[in-house]
């Protein structure tokens, strides 16, 4: 799946808006909901987190909602998304942590734009320590110092950070050198058929060694076969996401396929 079509963001046109607090009455011309896909710990056989993925009110695909977002409503959509992700996670007693996508270039002042999330977490009694913010490597990073400010502010407030789609975008190893997120998600392009690809095996093994030295946890995303799972597990990776384990569950916790565990 294309994470860019599922990312919740404030675009450059929204930088002139003042960030506001939690508001269940944010007015939009359309409704939306969330599906949640588990990220599992295969060693403990538990759910580590769920990633929140935008869906239509009846479970329609993300694009049916994102096609209605424009320069006039993007800021409101972003605020509504942050609130709804936390609210829904609280309502369904989400198992594990909650992972929310965002685009770094859209956050112009992290200490202000995070208020919506903080107030929603307080209102719905959802611990901030259970929230992960994923930022995608597929977005061009205009100002590296700005990203450092976001990561620093989010960590200071108790949020975990994750770099999504590692190996597929602009930032590459320079990004890891400058910013050490808590987690990186290896792009599914490197995961697919890794059991049959020597080049993918070499790249992922090198990434594992690097992350071990930097104390960064790895999530293998888009895992679809047991052969992929076994190869990745042999490198010491134990956090997995993908259809092998569970597809996204609409407004509900995911239930991991029992035969997906090692």
């Amino acid at each position: 799946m294309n994470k860019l079509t599922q990312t919740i963001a404030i675009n450059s046109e929204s930088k002139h808006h003042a960030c506001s607090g939690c508001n269940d009455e944010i007015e939009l011309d359309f409704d939306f909901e969330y599906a949640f896909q588990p990220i599992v710990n295969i060693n403990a056989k538990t759910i580590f987190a769920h990633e929140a993925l935008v869906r239509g009110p009846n479970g329609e695909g993300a694009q049916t909602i994102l096609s209605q977002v424009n320069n006039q409503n993007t800021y409101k959509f972003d605020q509504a998304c942050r609130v709804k992700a936390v609210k829904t996670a609280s309502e369904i007693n989400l198992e594990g942590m909650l992972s929310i996508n965002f685009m770094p270039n859209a956050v112009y002042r992290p200490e202000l734009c995070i208020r919506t999330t903080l107030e929603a977490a307080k209102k719905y009694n959802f611990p901030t320590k259970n929230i992960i913010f994923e930022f995608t490597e597929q977005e061009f990073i205009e100002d590296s110092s700005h990203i450092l400010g976001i990561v620093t502010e989010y960590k200071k407030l108790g949020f975990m950070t994750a770099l999504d789609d590692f190996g597929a975008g602009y930032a590459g190893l320079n990004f890891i050198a400058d910013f050490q997120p808590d987690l990186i998600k290896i792009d599914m392009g490197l995961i697919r058929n890794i059991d049959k690809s020597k080049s993918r095996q070499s790249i992922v093994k090198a990434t594992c060694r690097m992350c071990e030295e930097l104390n960064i946890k790895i999530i293998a995303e888009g895992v679809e076969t047991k052969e992929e799972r076994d190869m990745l597990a042999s490198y010491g990776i134990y956090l997995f996401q993908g259809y092998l384990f569970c597809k996204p569950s609409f407004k509900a916790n995911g239930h991991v396929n029992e035969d997906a565990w090692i």
Side-chain angles (χ1 to χ4, degrees), residues 85-136:
V86 173
K87 180 182 179 182
T88 307
S90 178
E91 289 175 343
I92 67 173
N93 295 314
L94 190 77
E95 185 176 353
M97 304 182 75
L98 168 66
S99 188
I100 304 173
N101 291 283
F102 80 101
M103 284 183 175
N105 288 336
V107 180
Y108 71 100
R109 289 189 64 184
E111 72 278 11
L112 296 179
C113 292
I114 198 62
R115 286 181 181 174
T116 299
T117 310
L118 291 171
E119 294 187 19
K122 181 178 180 180
K123 180 174 181 178
Y124 299 111
N125 195 31
F126 195 88
T128 55
K129 66 181 180 63
N130 285 357
I131 296 177
I132 302 168
F133 277 106
E134 293 188 27
F135 49 103
T136 179

Side-chain angles (χ1 to χ4, degrees), residues 39-110:
I39 299 168
V40 304
N41 182 325
I42 62 168
N43 289 346
K45 294 187 178 180
T46 58
I47 292 177
F48 168 73
H50 278 86
E51 182 179 3
L53 302 169
V54 173
R55 293 292 185 266
N58 298 304
E60 301 91 341
Q63 193 55 42
T64 64
I65 298 302
L66 296 178
S67 63
Q68 301 179 68
V69 179
N70 53 50
N71 288 340
Q72 284 69 47
N73 63 18
T74 307
Y75 171 75
K76 288 183 178 180
F77 180 62
D78 175 80
Q79 299 302 294
C81 282
R82 289 171 181 263
V83 173
K84 180 158 285 189
V86 173
K87 180 182 179 182
T88 307
S90 178
E91 289 175 343
I92 67 173
N93 295 314
L94 190 77
E95 185 176 353
M97 304 182 75
L98 168 66
S99 188
I100 304 173
N101 291 283
F102 80 101
M103 284 183 175
N105 288 336
V107 180
Y108 71 100
R109 289 189 64 184

Side-chain angles (χ1 to χ4, degrees), residues 2-241:
N2 186 339
K3 291 298 182 64
L4 286 179
T5 65
Q6 296 174 329
T7 300
I8 302 163
I10 308 171
N11 69 10
S12 60
E13 295 293 329
S14 303
K15 293 182 180 180
H16 303 293
H17 289 278
C19 292
S20 61
C22 176
N23 184 356
D24 285 344
E25 304 302 324
I26 297 172
E27 294 183 2
L28 291 169
D29 295 330
F30 55 90
D31 194 14
F32 65 94
E33 295 292 345
Y34 272 106
F36 297 89
Q37 186 177 28
I39 299 168
V40 304
N41 182 325
I42 62 168
N43 289 346
K45 294 187 178 180
T46 58
I47 292 177
F48 168 73
H50 278 86
E51 182 179 3
L53 302 169
V54 173
R55 293 292 185 266
N58 298 304
E60 301 91 341
Q63 193 55 42
T64 64
I65 298 302
L66 296 178
S67 63
Q68 301 179 68
V69 179
N70 53 50
N71 288 340
Q72 284 69 47
N73 63 18
T74 307
Y75 171 75
K76 288 183 178 180
F77 180 62
D78 175 80
Q79 299 302 294
C81 282
R82 289 171 181 263
V83 173
K84 180 158 285 189
V86 173
K87 180 182 179 182
T88 307
S90 178
E91 289 175 343
I92 67 173
N93 295 314
L94 190 77
E95 185 176 353
M97 304 182 75
L98 168 66
S99 188
I100 304 173
N101 291 283
F102 80 101
M103 284 183 175
N105 288 336
V107 180
Y108 71 100
R109 289 189 64 184
E111 72 278 11
L112 296 179
C113 292
I114 198 62
R115 286 181 181 174
T116 299
T117 310
L118 291 171
E119 294 187 19
K122 181 178 180 180
K123 180 174 181 178
Y124 299 111
N125 195 31
F126 195 88
T128 55
K129 66 181 180 63
N130 285 357
I131 296 177
I132 302 168
F133 277 106
E134 293 188 27
F135 49 103
T136 179
E137 197 192 17
Q138 292 190 16
E139 183 184 15
F140 179 70
I141 306 301
E142 297 174 345
D143 181 359
S144 59
S145 63
H146 175 60
I147 308 304
L148 178 59
I150 295 173
V151 173
T152 300
E153 183 68 21
Y154 283 11
K155 286 189 174 183
K156 184 174 71 175
L157 293 170
F159 298 108
M160 292 185 71
T161 57
L163 176 60
D164 195 10
D165 300 318
F166 179 72
Y170 293 101
L173 296 177
N174 288 338
F175 192 95
I176 296 294
D178 292 332
F179 320 113
Q180 285 83 56
D182 299 293
L183 305 125
I184 68 166
K185 300 180 77 173
I186 298 179
D187 183 72
M188 65 179 67
L190 288 173
I191 299 299
R192 188 63 61 248
N193 296 317
I194 190 172
D195 53 298
K196 302 179 181 71
S197 172
K198 293 294 184 181
S199 58
R200 285 175 173 79
Q201 292 169 22
S202 295
I203 292 168
V204 172
K205 282 191 289 187
T207 300
C208 289
R209 290 195 296 270
M210 173 190 69
C211 288
E212 183 178 5
E213 292 183 8
L214 294 174
N215 196 30
I216 298 171
K217 293 183 176 65
I218 291 177
I219 298 171
E221 63 177 344
V223 178
E224 294 186 352
T225 69
K226 292 181 179 180
E227 290 76 16
E228 292 169 351
R229 177 203 64 190
D230 293 346
M231 181 63 67
L232 293 160
S234 73
Y235 304 151
I237 297 174
Y238 60 91
L239 296 177
F240 287 80
Q241 182 177 9

